Amino acid sequence: MKKNIYNILKGTFLVSDDSFRNWRFILFISGLAIIMIASSHSADKKVYEIARLKNEVKEMRSAFVDGRSKLMRLKMESHVIEVMKDKGLAPSVIPPKKIKVKKTQN
């Protein structure tokens, strides 16, 4: 057991006669490690992108709600009356009358 551990620490398994099999395994493990690291980086990028998009959605939703509330204030009758008062127009005191058109028979 000590001899095996000592050989691994010295690196003799890399230069021995059957080292080609060891090198293939080491290269395979290294390739898997590189793929795992790349996958991890890709996942991290996606997490950051999702967080950025969530913040952007929150900002846009806030801007939408703000714009909608401004529009509601602009559409209110009291606001329209104030704007028209500045232009010299006032709401009518006399209520509107319905005009009925009767069909004439010819």
Side-chain angles (χ1 to χ4, degrees):
M1 181 76 173
K2 279 186 177 182
K3 187 176 181 182
N4 288 338
I5 294 174
Y6 187 67
N7 285 338
I8 290 174
L9 292 176
K10 279 178 64 176
T12 56
F13 69 97
L14 297 174
V15 292
S16 64
D17 294 336
D18 60 345
S19 66
F20 179 70
R21 189 178 55 168
N22 293 336
W23 276 106
R24 283 192 317 187
F25 183 70
I26 290 172
L27 290 176
F28 175 71
I29 295 296
S30 300
L32 287 179
I34 290 172
I35 290 171
M36 186 178 80
I37 291 169
S39 175
S40 174
H41 284 298
S42 174
D44 286 343
K45 278 185 185 177
K46 288 177 184 176
V47 167
Y48 286 127
E49 181 72 13
I50 288 170
R52 185 186 65 78
L53 290 174
K54 280 185 180 181
N55 287 337
E56 190 175 331
V57 165
K58 284 181 184 177
E59 289 173 10
M60 287 184 169
R61 187 167 299 171
S62 168
F64 168 72
V65 169
D66 186 44
R68 186 172 57 181
S69 65
K70 285 180 183 177
L71 177 64
M72 292 294 283
R73 276 182 280 173
L74 290 174
K75 286 173 40 176
M76 289 176 63
E77 185 179 355
S78 59
H79 185 268
V80 172
I81 290 172
E82 286 178 24
V83 171
M84 290 297 121
K85 218 179 254 185
D86 294 341
K87 294 183 179 185
L89 295 174
S92 177
V93 181
I94 304 166
K97 295 181 183 178
K98 265 190 181 177
I99 301 174
K100 291 186 180 180
V101 178
K102 292 182 182 179
K103 289 185 182 180
T104 58
Q105 292 182 358
N106 293 348

